[in-house]
Amino acid sequence: MAASFSSMLIIPSSKISYEASLGGLSFHNFLTAKSPPLKRNQKSIKVVTRDNHSPLVDDLMIEVQEHEHEHATLHQKDLSEMWRQIHGEKNWEGLLEPMDPLLRSEVIRYGELAQACHDAFDYEPFSRFEEEKFFSSLGMTHHGYKVTRYIHLTANTDFLLKWLIHSKWPTAMGSKVNWGGYVAVSNDDTSRCLGRRDIVIAWRGTTTHLEGEKDLRSSLTPVSSKGIPCHDDGVKVDNGFLDMYTGKDETSEYCQHSARDHVLREVKRLMDMYSEEEVSITVTGHSLGSALAILSAYDIVEKGLDRGVPVSVMSFSGPAVGNKSFHKRLKKLGIKVLRVINANDWVPWFSLWLPPFQYYHVGVELKLDNNKSPFLKHDVDCAHNLEVLLHLLDGYHGERGEFMLASDRDHALVNKGGDFLKESYLVPPNWWQDENKGLKRSSDGRWVQPERTIEVDGYP
């Protein structure tokens, strides 16, 4: 029969129809590159073609059944029973090659919680959303968490060009202050599914010029020099990351206390609140946020605020944070770190090449490669993008496995803040934006930036 025909895949649960012309494309590539993936609770997929009895359709149905098998396995597993392994209890041994479907799902979820920091930040000193509306404003209520505190970062600089580097709205919170992330906790329903109450700390990646200048600093300093309780002065971390984590701004009512103060105070409060429950602490972040995630996880355990509960870091595209002694100390404290990186991203390796050549990565590495995805252009700029990394996670089936999307995660998200999808997918670049770019019409009919107010009460 002819090698080309029109096919319609109908997914009853999502009520979405996708139409594609196969041309000379193999059925495997057609399934992975064109068809919407099966949902976890979906039992079947209906294939409507001009010839339902053709060998090509039979081949397609085999691919569908194989694709469905992974989701059936995932559905059968009980996260409430496996969460300690997924959280890194055994350093993810046997879960990465090939990729365990439940682990994949959980790592993507924490990546989305980190991505939320980027989506909510609008280059002003704070998130555009109120804490109680954070996840609903981003369409993420299905994650089952509620934000309990925002984190604000203070970045100081003694560079002569510091006048170039400041918050967009310095009168609001201070010239060196920006919104840095949040602390959240799983709700009751989600906690039952997870098998524990999960406290999440999510850190935003580099956005402002000042933060970029901090990223490029390459000097190591003892963690104890900034008040983190460590009796070994040989345990050192990058000075720029440490300064941002512990920095304060006496001129700002929001950052008279450091990001560290905000995080530690909130973790203590939540640990007290859920002292009768089984609890985990998961810290996540992308790029700069990854470095701050590792540093804050270390601080929480070194200070004893974890009270023996599992503490894990889901790191995305992160640089090395400290020296070999920091690496050893982190391991001794039992902190589990899964570092997800893109093989073509220079950020995870940059600090290793800088003097004093004493930086060490921590934890277990999961290396992905954007060149393996049939969805993506060959564009080096995509290598450090978090949405691209989550897309690669979705298609990863082991180092030697073939790329095939495994969940219902929309590949259009790749172009949320970039132009990385091939043109044939018809997804416009940089499509994630607020209605009217955030401007609101005032009572006199003018379009203005709305007033932003944040309650100071409750900050340490």
Side-chain angles (χ1 to χ4, degrees):
M1 60 178 293
S4 177
F5 66 93
S6 295
S7 174
M8 181 77 76
L9 300 182
I10 304 175
I11 309 300
S13 59
S14 60
K15 298 182 181 179
I16 298 176
S17 297
Y18 281 69
E19 186 170 11
S21 177
L22 289 180
L25 200 64
S26 72
F27 269 94
H28 181 273
N29 289 337
F30 168 68
L31 184 70
T32 58
K34 291 295 185 182
S35 66
L38 297 173
K39 295 186 179 295
R40 294 182 191 174
N41 59 355
Q42 188 175 324
K43 300 301 182 182
S44 63
I45 184 169
K46 181 180 180 182
V47 182
V48 181
T49 68
R50 295 178 182 175
D51 181 4
N52 275 340
H53 301 289
S54 69
L56 289 177
V57 172
D58 293 338
D59 291 342
L60 178 57
M61 289 305 297
I62 291 173
E63 289 288 352
V64 169
Q65 291 167 4
E66 291 177 350
H67 193 58
E68 195 172 341
H69 174 71
E70 180 178 21
H71 290 276
T73 303
L74 176 61
H75 184 68
Q76 289 169 4
K77 290 182 178 178
D78 190 345
L79 180 57
S80 65
E81 296 177 358
M82 281 193 64
W83 75 265
R84 289 184 178 273
Q85 295 97 299
I86 299 299
H87 214 246
E89 181 181 49
K90 298 180 180 179
N91 294 311
W92 297 281
E93 183 178 348
L95 298 178
L96 298 175
E97 293 290 333
M99 190 75 174
D100 179 85
L102 191 53
L103 175 62
R104 182 205 319 279
S105 176
E106 285 297 280
V107 176
I108 288 176
R109 188 168 63 86
Y110 286 115
E112 290 175 341
L113 292 175
Q115 177 65 39
C117 293
H118 289 291
D119 294 342
F121 186 65
D122 56 1
Y123 297 88
E124 296 183 12
F126 31 72
S127 165
R128 61 170 67 95
F129 307 127
E130 299 174 17
E131 291 178 8
E132 63 272 16
K133 298 179 181 178
F134 182 81
F135 287 118
S136 61
S137 298
L138 294 171
M140 295 177 62
T141 54
H142 61 286
H143 282 69
Y145 287 77
K146 64 176 181 179
V147 172
T148 62
R149 179 181 292 276
Y150 279 156
I151 305 167
H152 293 104
L153 290 169
T154 306
N156 301 297
T157 181
D158 50 11
F159 275 36
L160 293 176
L161 296 180
K162 64 182 180 181
W163 58 274
L164 286 174
I165 310 167
H166 54 78
S167 298
K168 183 178 176 182
W169 291 65
T171 57
M173 298 173 68
S175 61
K176 305 166 187 174
V177 180
N178 272 297
W179 184 80
Y182 61 87
V183 182
V185 65
S186 56
N187 61 30
D188 291 344
D189 290 341
T190 298
S191 297
R192 280 190 290 271
C193 294
L194 296 178
R196 84 280 188 190
R197 185 76 61 174
D198 190 31
I199 299 171
V200 167
I201 304 162
W203 293 93
R204 178 177 56 79
T206 305
T207 304
T208 69
H209 295 296
L210 181 52
E211 292 162 355
E213 179 265 314
K214 288 292 183 185
D215 287 358
L216 295 177
R217 289 195 179 187
S218 58
S219 60
L220 291 166
T221 188
V223 294
S224 58
S225 66
K226 298 292 186 177
I228 296 178
C230 180
H231 300 297
D232 183 358
D233 289 341
V235 176
K236 298 180 179 181
V237 297
D238 183 84
N239 180 65
F241 300 145
L242 186 60
D243 188 48
M244 192 173 295
Y245 178 59
T246 61
K248 303 178 182 181
D249 183 2
E250 299 295 337
T251 66
S252 168
E253 60 182 335
Y254 292 93
C255 281
Q256 293 179 6
H257 299 273
S258 65
R260 177 182 185 240
D261 294 333
H262 290 177
V263 169
L264 297 186
R265 191 73 64 92
E266 186 64 8
V267 168
K268 182 181 184 303
R269 187 184 74 83
L270 292 174
M271 290 296 292
D272 289 341
M273 178 180 296
Y274 300 110
S275 60
E276 301 300 319
E277 299 184 26
E278 190 163 23
V279 175
S280 66
I281 298 174
T282 313
V283 197
T284 186
H286 171 249
S287 190
L288 164 65
S290 166
L292 294 172
I294 292 172
L295 187 55
S296 58
Y298 163 77
D299 190 16
I300 288 168
V301 180
E302 190 74 273
K303 196 172 175 62
L305 294 180
D306 61 302
R307 305 177 190 176
V309 308
V311 177
S312 293
V313 178
M314 297 295 176
S315 159
F316 299 90
S317 307
V321 177
N323 63 0
K324 189 173 184 178
S325 294
F326 177 72
H327 171 277
K328 290 181 177 179
R329 183 60 181 165
L330 202 78
K331 187 175 182 180
K332 185 176 181 179
L333 291 173
I335 301 167
K336 306 300 182 180
V337 180
L338 181 61
R339 293 187 302 103
V340 185
I341 66 169
N342 190 328
N344 304 299
D345 183 10
W346 63 270
V347 170
W349 313 111
F350 183 73
S351 56
L352 303 182
W353 303 333
L354 294 174
F357 305 108
Q358 295 177 1
Y359 287 81
Y360 279 77
H361 275 301
V362 299
V364 176
E365 178 181 281
L366 174 58
K367 185 186 294 184
L368 310 175
D369 186 349
N370 58 277
N371 291 324
K372 291 187 176 181
S373 170
F375 290 81
L376 302 176
K377 301 175 182 177
H378 291 287
D379 185 347
V380 68
D381 291 339
C382 78
H384 192 62
N385 183 276
L386 179 53
E387 284 290 359
V388 168
L389 202 60
L390 298 181
H391 166 74
L392 297 178
L393 263 172
D394 197 13
Y396 182 75
H397 294 270
E399 187 175 352
R400 298 183 180 180
E402 192 170 358
F403 188 95
M404 183 173 70
L405 295 183
S407 78
D408 57 358
R409 197 167 196 278
D410 193 348
H411 61 265
L413 294 170
V414 168
N415 270 11
K416 180 189 288 184
D419 186 13
F420 307 129
L421 283 175
K422 291 179 179 178
E423 302 294 342
S424 58
Y425 293 101
L426 304 178
V427 178
N430 299 294
W431 55 264
W432 179 268
Q433 54 185 283
D434 281 341
E435 184 181 5
N436 302 318
K437 299 298 178 69
L439 292 183
K440 304 293 183 182
R441 178 166 283 177
S442 64
S443 57
D444 61 0
R446 295 182 180 275
W447 289 92
V448 297
Q449 184 71 40
E451 290 282 338
R452 307 295 181 91
T453 59
I454 301 178
E455 294 293 333
V456 182
D457 293 342
Y459 279 78

